[in-house]
Amino acid sequence: MTPLAEPAAPARPPGRPRSPQADRAILDATLEVLAEVGFGRLTVERVAEYAGVGKATIYRRWPAKMALVLAAVDELSRSPSPEIDTGTTRGDLILLLASMISAITTTIAGRILPGLIAETALSPELRDALTHLWVTRRELLLAVLERGVARGELPGPADLGLTADLLYGAVHYRFLVSATPMNPDFAENLVDAVLPQL
């Protein structure tokens, strides 16, 4: 009996295998350049210099500047969400808002978001990417509020979406519009102003 032939191994695509370390360096460099010079002055050449790679390495992954920036923004939306369960809805909301405030005031996200938001008037793609970022953060607030209803701490008929908008919107108004400093008590004061209205 003729033995069955071994299945052929799948052919590897030509060129060097893609390096996750290079991907990470490029996306980190993109965020750094955005923070330093903004979207308008960002170039692939400058990102390549920051990342320590050749321009061709970037273009093999992302064919244009916009694709590169969108990938970097997507990385921001993938940042790990805090595990929050203090035992009360009030405590969870305060802790979650405090972590959001910290993210936009102490990390690179806060340095690049105002400039990117200004660019969304000219780029629907960028607007969609930032909308995804906002939605993922708002969903964290909704999850805390829904858990509050399940615990019996919040009334079931409450408009949780509106409540999430009031909490999240106040943080972003201060960050993007009024530039009012958000001190450590702001999250607690905000929750105590909104939650009783339910």
Side-chain angles (χ1 to χ4, degrees), residues 76-136:
L76 291 179
S77 68
R78 294 173 188 269
S79 58
S81 305
E83 292 293 330
I84 291 175
D85 189 356
T86 65
T88 69
T89 301
R90 177 181 180 272
D92 291 351
L93 289 172
I94 291 170
L95 196 56
L96 180 55
L97 285 173
S99 75
M100 290 179 174
I101 291 167
S102 176
I104 60 176
T105 56
T106 65
T107 72
I108 198 166
R111 292 162 52 204
I112 69 171
L113 285 174
L116 289 180
I117 289 168
E119 293 291 335
T120 60
L122 302 174
S123 171
E125 291 175 297
L126 192 53
R127 184 183 63 236
D128 290 346
L130 288 180
T131 297
H132 176 67
L133 177 63
W134 308 139
V135 167
T136 58

